[in-house]
């Protein structure tokens, strides 16, 4: 490999001197404006002496305190410490990734004596895996290489590097597997973690920062990752990582160590000298103890009891002072020289658990060594590589790579593409049907105007909503790549539109135009159709460009949709359709020239009424008085008169189209400018005070005697699991085996563990045991064998009643609640109703202390936009919420993942106490320290592919493998030994073949031996026992107020969402008042008044947008807690509804005052209340529609498309945009609340109104065409009983919410039926006698 790849890097010496980080926990009222303040080049706001005193008086908290560190090139530095010790903050500050004004730093971080990190190539591996779910591992890495490896590397070279990185990271077997997400399963958590690391490795950085690179990995994979980083470091790179619980072999790879405790340094220097330093401080490491675990234990604050907390604080303070006043902290170290080839080979050693014949294979070559080995560390002078500066790929390559990637991602989003096409076809057919074959009468002319407005504005509005929602998700990848310096703003903007041209930007407007144009009955003229399609196409581009601008301002959908919705409302008011220009107040009349809807509606109107040529009187429609267009009586039927009545210029086709092009460009340029200068940053949350007594619960958990607890023994009888993939038609397209005929037993009263490498099916097994795998349209689950509870096959109700499940992710937490509030609400919802409120609170405080959460008890959980507690603390909160419930069976997926060694040990101690009470605990685990392993009882070992390798007692495991010729060394952690033993080495071809054969032998040996080793009960021992284990959900009177209070707290702490909910109707009302007030009483004002009434239908979309900002998150949390049996569907839907009302009532009253009173639609108190009532009802119906479709479809983007079409049709059918509605649609319109709302608002608004007209407007008989409000109602077919329509609006509001509730209930029941069908399939293979006994058990349980 030539010099243009991984060989040439500039050595960088990183130094940290006197680094202190403090955070202002008081929110600033000027946070919104401060985003435009100037930041320094590093992105970190440094504190000047002038303002430091005033800033420090605000109540700041110190996160890092006087940190010094020295990290020379060629070194691997590990930052270790407990959760919340400041490891991630230190990495972020060193890498200059923090740019918030609430975070202040003193001290400096230098890179070769320069404070500017942009002078060197750096990369950062985040703790979260931000990957594109629809790409495979190979595709992800290939696109990363194309973006990160600068020219003149060739395509072949980049592909070669990617393949070697895949081998190095052990990703060979999942290279063609999609990343996946929580909806569509793909790679395992460990495989995603390794892919994230691989993406950053491809940047060929001189400085590599890694935040918890081994979290979620098994011990063998973790060792391989650190070994790779060590190899990179030995060749001149500076590698800095934070790590929680490294195994002893990993410790030996560290060159330097920084030990933190609550932000203070206990040690920073050579790893080899660290143990000597602590020995001098009086802390001797015991024999056969992992040094990393020893140091983390020293730095930990044990707050599980007052005595332990006091002792640990004394110890930590002594160590802190010992290091602070140490004289020889930083002896002069010569700059590390490049490693020799022998050292590289030494860094690539395999773990001791490999058989000796595997270790001596001389033909094996480290693939990363092939990439970087050049016989020396200093790169030779070459024109192909600039190692001194940060070099980007060209803009052309960025655009090309991002375009290809985005095209692939978009085409694989089947629901998204289907939604876009459905929207175009659906809107085309339905609007064409509503306006089917319009005649050329006066009614037809008015309907034409309505359809032209639909094409000019409403169609693009639907695109605006969908693109805004989708961008809030898609832009996360760009934000990451932009921060890493691999993607420019211009490349992102250009590639997004190019990639979607053939998929959406062209097909959507083309399909809509082809369908609606000819169904409506516009003239069959190629040039006229071309103009129609061109305007619709330009509107498509304007909508997506405006959506980009909205999301550039805010990543929150609530705020972005508020900006987009109010912008469109302003645009539609200026279009000239709803309110004639002569009726607009003079001070706002000029705004029409700034509105793109004015130009698009004008262009389509001129195209229809005048024609593309723009000559003569325009098109002459069917005048009932004469066939002569010059006849004064027929003037109103000429195109030119219609254009004049709309206050639009005559020759108005081509100039508006040019202006529309300018609008699209301006919006996109504006988005680029905002992305460049609008500093998007994660807010750091403020700690909230609590009045709770933190001393409560310091007493130990008193273990109940095991005989007082009903014990549950869980067995797996030849249990298997396959995933079935289906296409759109429901036909099976593939079958993926996940678990292979597992027979195992998990005993009560002990900790049972499931271990195996990434991709072995551990999480899938736990999910299936917890009854959490639910089939959907494209993915089905097929089971074989049985899961047995005390020898019986349990029902889904029994499983949910007796078991609790701690998932691997921590999504089931309210982001804006504090840790204490989370546990107290969980205790109230999950603990039985016979416990008093005080008992539940004591239980919550007890668990809070036992889980080591005292120090963060009053900190909020946090989200992707607001920084809260650390990842390890979130993990502990998730576990705490489940062990609160006193479950008979507790399933935990990676409970120690992301935790430091001390905290992991503490959690295992808590779990051991729970198991001692007679519970059945089953947990999957990746890495465990040796003293923790002794706490395990039964173990199930799974190889990749879900093949069992061993199942039985932990004490018998080593002797079993010894009988097969695999001896565990006395100084090796048993868990590390077995994971190394059953993992296929994918880094080297020869070792891969040998290790694969070894694993196959182990699988075959266990398959032959398990029948003799394990006997599962074939009969039910106690028929009545299983059913009696069922636990009742707390009653509605208990759960409803708790769910309501919890949601209210969470929402009230999100000012963006609150502002959006409040400002949506109020902002719309203000815009209407600006454009319509004051309404006149002449003939021309009739159109303006009815246009204002039509705007009430826009509130339908407001309700949908308010729902999308909250409901998807609330829904996902409810689904999780519903699986745990926390509360009922009734409690959830009623609390959601109750939370809406206090927000909707005042905003509805404000809207009624602005739209009804301020505009002089009718200035009476009664009409104000009627307007407010209709606003409340329509918004509520919009929320109900959102609940329906977001429940029915998990793909929220697809739901947005479907809802937008239906709401648009309801808007058109309201009675003002279309005067002639087909009979079938008229009948269907009775299901729409908009019909009743428009009818009663129009009736009340026109009651008693009189209108005047000018001489030119009078009919031939001298009368005004419209003189009373009744004439208006007759014209629009709205002459109906207003009271009945008002009642109809109220009934529709209630019915819509009831239907939403029923759909939610049906959705959850449907999944239970799916499980029942699966249960029936299992029963077919059982004997009649066994089925009878199981039925007796389940029957008695009922």
């Amino acid at each position: 490999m030539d010099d243009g790849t991984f060989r040439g890097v500039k050595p960088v010496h990183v130094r940290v001197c006197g680094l202190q980080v403090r955070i202002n926990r008081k929110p600033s009222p000027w946070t919104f404006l401060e985003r435009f303040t100037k930041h320094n080049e590093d992105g970190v706001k440094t504190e000047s002496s002038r303002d430091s005193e005033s800033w420090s008086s605000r109540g700041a908290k110190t996160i890092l305190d006087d940190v010094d560190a020295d990290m020379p090139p060629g070194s691997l530095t590990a930052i270790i410490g407990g959760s919340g010790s400041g490891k991630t903050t230190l990495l972020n500050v060193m890498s200059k990734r923090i740019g918030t004004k609430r975070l202040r730093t003193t001290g400096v971080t230098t890179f070769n004596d320069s404070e500017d990190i942009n002078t060197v190539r750096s990369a950062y591996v985040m703790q979260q895996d931000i990957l594109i779910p629809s790409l495979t591992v190979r595709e992800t890495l290939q696109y990363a290489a194309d973006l990160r490896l600068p020219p003149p590397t060739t395509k072949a070279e980049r592909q070669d590097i990617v393949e070697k990185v895949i081998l190095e990271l052990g990703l060979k077997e999942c290279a063609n597997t999609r990343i996946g997400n929580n909806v569509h399963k793909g790679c395992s958590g460990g495989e995603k973690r390794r892919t994230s690391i691989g993406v950053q490795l491809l940047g060929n950085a001189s400085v590599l920062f890694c935040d918890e690179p081994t979290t979620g990995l098994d011990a063998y994979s973790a060792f391989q990752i650190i070994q790779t980083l060590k190899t990179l470091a030995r060749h001149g790179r500076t590698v800095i990582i934070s790590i929680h619980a490294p195994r002893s072999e990993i410790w030996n790879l560290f060159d330097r160590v920084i030990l933190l405790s609550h932000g203070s340094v206990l040690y920073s220097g050579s790893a080899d000298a660290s143990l000597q330093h602590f020995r001098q401080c009086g802390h001797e490491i015991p024999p056969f103890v992992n040094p990393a675990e020893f140091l983390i234990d020293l730095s930990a604050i044990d707050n599980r009891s007052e005595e332990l907390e006091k002792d640990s604080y004394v110890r930590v303070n002594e160590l802190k002072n010992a290091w602070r006043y140490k004289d020889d902290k930083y002896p002069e170290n010569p700059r590390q020289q490049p490693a020799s080839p022998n050292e590289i080979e030494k860094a690539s050693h395999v773990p001791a658990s490999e058989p000796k014949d595997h270790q001596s294979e001389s033909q094996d070559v480290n693939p990363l060594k092939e990439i970087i080995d050049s016989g020396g560390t200093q790169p030779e002078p070459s024109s192909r590589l600039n190692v001194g500066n940060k070099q980007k790929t060209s803009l052309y390559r960025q655009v090309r790579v991002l375009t290809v990637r985005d095209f692939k991602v978009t085409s694989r989003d089947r629901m998204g593409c289907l939604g876009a096409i459905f929207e175009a076809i659906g809107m085309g057919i339905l609007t064409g049907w509503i306006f089917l074959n319009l005649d050329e009468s006066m009614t037809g002319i008015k309907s034409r105007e309505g359809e032209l407005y639909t094409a000019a504005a409403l169609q693009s509005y639907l695109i605006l909503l969908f693109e805004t929602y989708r961008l809030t998700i898609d832009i996360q990848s760009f934000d990451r790549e932009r921060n890493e310096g691999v993607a420019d703003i211009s490349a992102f903007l250009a590639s997004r539109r190019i990639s979607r041209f053939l998929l959406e930007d062209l097909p959507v407007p083309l399909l809509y135009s082809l369908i609606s144009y000819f169904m409506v009955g516009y003239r069959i003229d190629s040039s006229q159709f071309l103009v129609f399609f061109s305007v619709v196409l330009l509107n498509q581009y304007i909508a997506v460009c405006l959506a980009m601008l909205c999301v550039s301002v805010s990543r929150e959908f609530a705020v972005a949709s508020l900006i987009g919705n109010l912008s469109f409302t302003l645009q539609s008011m200026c279009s000239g359709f709803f309110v004639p220009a002569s009726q607009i107040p003079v001070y706002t009349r000029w705004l029409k020239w700034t509105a793109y809807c004015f130009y698009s509606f004008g262009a389509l109107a001129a195209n229809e009424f005048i024609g593309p040529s723009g000559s003569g009187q325009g098109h002459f429609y069917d005048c009932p008085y004469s066939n002569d267009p010059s006849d004064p009586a027929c003037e109103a039927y000429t195109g030119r008169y219609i254009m004049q009545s709309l206050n639009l210029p005559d020759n108005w086709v081509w100039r508006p189209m040019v202006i529309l092009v300018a609008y699209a460009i301006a919006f996109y340029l504006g988005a680029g400018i905002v992305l460049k200068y609008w500093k998007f940053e994660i807010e750091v949350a403020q700690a909230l005070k609590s009045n709770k007594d933190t001393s409560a619960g310091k007493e130990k958990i008193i273990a109940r005697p095991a005989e007082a607890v009903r014990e549950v023994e869980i067995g797996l009888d030849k249990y298997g699991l396959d995933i079935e993939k289906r296409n759109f038609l429901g036909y099976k397209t593939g079958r993926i085996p996940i678990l292979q005929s597992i027979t195992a037993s998990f005993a009560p009263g002990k900790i049972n563990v499931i271990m195996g490498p990434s991709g072995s099916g551990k999480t899938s097994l736990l999910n299936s045991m917890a009854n959490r795998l639910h089939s959907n349209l494209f993915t089905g689950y097929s089971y074989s064998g049985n899961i047995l509870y005390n020898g019986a096959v349990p029902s889904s109700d029994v499983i949910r009643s007796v078991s609790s499940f701690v998932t691997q992710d921590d999504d089931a937490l309210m982001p804006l609640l504090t840790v204490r509030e989370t546990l107290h609400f969980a205790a109230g919802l999950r603990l039985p109703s016979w416990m008093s409120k005080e008992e539940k609170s004591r239980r919550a405080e007890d668990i809070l202390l036992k889980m080591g959460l005292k120090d963060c008890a009053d900190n909020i959980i946090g989200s992707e936009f607001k920084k809260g507690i650390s990842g390890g603390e979130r993990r502990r909160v998730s576990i705490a919420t489940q062990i609160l419930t006193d479950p008979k069976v507790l399933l935990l997926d990676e409970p120690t993942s992301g935790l430091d060694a001390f905290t992991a040990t503490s959690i295992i101690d808590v779990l051991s106490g729970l198991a001692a009470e007679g519970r059945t605990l089953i947990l999957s685990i990746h890495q465990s320290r040796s003293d923790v392993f002794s706490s395990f009882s039964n173990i199930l070992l799974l190889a990749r592919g879900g093949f069992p390798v061993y199942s039985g007692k932990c004490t018998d495991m080593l002797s079993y493998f010894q009988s097969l010729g695999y001896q565990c060394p006395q100084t090796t952690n048993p868990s590390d030994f077995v994971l190394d033993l059953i993992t296929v080495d994918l880094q080297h071809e020869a070792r891969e073949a040998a290790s694969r054969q070894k694993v196959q032998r182990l699988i075959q040996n266990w398959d032959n031996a398990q029948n003799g080793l394990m006997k599962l009960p074939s009969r039910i021992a106690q028929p009545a026992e299983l059913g009696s284990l069922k636990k009742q959900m707390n009653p509605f009177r208990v759960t409803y107020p708790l769910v309501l209070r919890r949601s209210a707290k969470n929402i009230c702490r999100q000012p963006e969402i609150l502002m959006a909910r409040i400002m949506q109707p109020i902002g719309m009302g203000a815009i209407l008042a600006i454009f319509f007030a004051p309404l006149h009483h002449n003939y021309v004002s009739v159109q303006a008044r009815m246009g204002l009434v039509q705007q009430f239908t826009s509130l339908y979309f407001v309700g949908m947008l308010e729902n999308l900002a909250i409901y998807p998150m609330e829904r996902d949390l409810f689904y999780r807690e519903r699986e745990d049996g926390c509360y009922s569907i009734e409690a959830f839907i009623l609390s959601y509804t109750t939370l809406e009302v206090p927000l909707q009532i005042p905003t509805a009253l404000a809207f009624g005052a602005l739209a009804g009173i301020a505009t002089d639609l009718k200035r009476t108190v009664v009409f104000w209340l009627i307007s407010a009532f209709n606003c409340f009802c329509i918004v509520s119906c919009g929320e109900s529609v959102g609940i329906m479709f977001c429940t029915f479809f998990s793909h929220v983007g697809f739901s947005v498309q479907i809802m937008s079409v239906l709401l648009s049709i309801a808007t058109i059918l309201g009675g003002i945009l279309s005067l002639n509605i087909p009979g079938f649609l008229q009948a269907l319109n009775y299901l729409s609340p908009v019909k009743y709302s428009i009818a009663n608002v129009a009736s009340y608004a026109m009651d008693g109104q009189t209108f005047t007209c000018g001489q030119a407007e009078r009919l031939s008989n001298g009368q005004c065409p419209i003189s009373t409000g009744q004439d208006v109602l007759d014209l629009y077919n709205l002459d109906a009983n207003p009271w009945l329509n008002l009642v109809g609006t109220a009934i529709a509001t209630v019915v819509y919410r009831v239907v939403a509730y029923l759909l939610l209930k049906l959705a959850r029941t449907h999944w239970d039926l799916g499980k029942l069908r699966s249960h029936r399939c299992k029963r077919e293979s059982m004997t009649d006698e066994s089925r009878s006994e199981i039925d007796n058990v389940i029957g008695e349980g009922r």
Side-chain angles (χ1 to χ4, degrees), residues 119 125 392 443 473 836 871 993 1056 1126 1130 1287:
T119 60
V125 179
K392 283 186 177 182
T443 302
I473 300 173
S836 67
E1056 299 87 359
C1126 293
E1130 291 77 14
V1287 173

Side-chain angles (χ1 to χ4, degrees), residues 456-513:
L458 194 55
Q459 167 66 12
S460 64
Y461 175 61
L462 306 189
I463 303 299
L464 170 65
L465 295 182
F466 175 61
E467 184 70 5
T468 300
Y469 175 80
R470 185 168 57 177
L471 268 172
T472 56
I473 300 173
D474 294 350
I475 204 169
Q476 295 179 24
S477 297
F478 164 71
D479 285 334
R480 175 178 61 84
E481 291 173 337
R482 181 195 175 193
N483 289 334
E484 295 166 359
V486 300
D488 291 334
I489 295 172
S490 55
F492 167 67
L493 295 177
S495 63
R496 187 165 182 87
R497 295 278 54 89
I498 297 173
S499 63
R500 283 167 166 75
F501 178 74
L502 294 178
L503 293 174
E504 294 177 1
D505 292 350
L506 180 62
V508 168
L510 181 59
L511 287 172
Y512 173 81
S513 299

Side-chain angles (χ1 to χ4, degrees), residues 3 56 58 186 222 274 278 301 377 447 488 522 722 754 776 838 840 852 883 887 934 971 1075 1124 1162 1220 1279 1313:
D3 290 339
S56 61
R58 298 180 187 174
S274 60
F278 289 104
I301 301 295
T377 54
S447 294
D488 291 334
Y522 292 123
D722 294 344
I754 303 172
N776 55 38
E838 291 73 20
K840 292 180 179 181
I883 65 176
S934 61
T971 58
F1075 277 88
D1124 293 334
K1162 192 171 187 180
N1220 291 324
D1279 184 17
L1313 291 175

Side-chain angles (χ1 to χ4, degrees), residues 686-692 694 818-820 853-860:
Q686 174 189 10
L688 303 176
K689 297 297 181 182
S690 173
N691 296 323
K692 295 291 182 180
T694 57
T818 66
V819 172
R820 175 172 280 112
L853 294 169
K854 176 186 174 183
D855 289 341
C856 64
D858 295 322
N859 293 339
I860 70 165

Side-chain angles (χ1 to χ4, degrees), residues 434 1097 1100 1206-1239 1276-1278 1285 1288 1292 1296:
I434 294 171
T1097 64
Y1100 217 177
L1206 296 181
L1207 267 58
S1208 299
I1209 299 308
T1211 299
I1212 298 172
L1213 292 175
I1216 295 177
L1217 289 180
S1218 177
L1219 301 183
N1220 291 324
I1221 302 176
F1224 173 76
L1225 291 179
Q1226 285 182 357
L1228 193 63
N1229 198 27
Y1230 283 98
L1231 300 176
S1232 171
V1234 171
K1235 167 186 164 39
Y1236 304 103
S1237 179
I1238 293 296
Y1276 286 92
N1277 298 319
L1278 294 174
N1285 283 296
Y1296 268 50

Side-chain angles (χ1 to χ4, degrees), residues 1100 1107 1111 1115 1119 1133 1180-1193 1199 1203 1292-1304 1307:
Y1100 217 177
N1107 173 266
Y1111 180 75
R1115 174 202 64 187
Y1119 285 176
I1133 198 71
S1180 179
C1181 288
E1183 291 243 23
S1184 297
V1185 172
I1187 295 173
M1188 295 178 201
F1189 283 89
C1190 288
T1191 298
F1192 204 73
F1193 300 103
S1199 301
M1203 286 188 291
T1293 304
V1294 175
V1295 169
Y1296 268 50
R1297 189 54 52 97
V1298 171
V1299 171
Y1301 156 72
L1302 293 176
L1303 280 177
L1304 182 60

Side-chain angles (χ1 to χ4, degrees), residues 1104-1122:
M1104 181 192 75
L1105 295 176
E1106 291 183 354
N1107 173 266
L1108 292 174
I1110 298 177
Y1111 180 75
M1113 179 186 67
E1114 296 268 356
R1115 174 202 64 187
D1116 294 341
L1117 177 62
F1118 165 68
Y1119 285 176
R1120 292 280 186 95
E1121 294 182 327
R1122 171 68 175 170

Side-chain angles (χ1 to χ4, degrees), residues 26 75 94 174 306 432 583 598 711 726 799 1070 1074 1199 1277:
K26 294 183 179 180
S75 65
M94 283 195 295
C174 65
E306 289 183 351
Q583 297 293 304
F598 171 73
E711 296 183 345
R726 305 188 185 104
I799 293 176
I1074 290 173
S1199 301
N1277 298 319

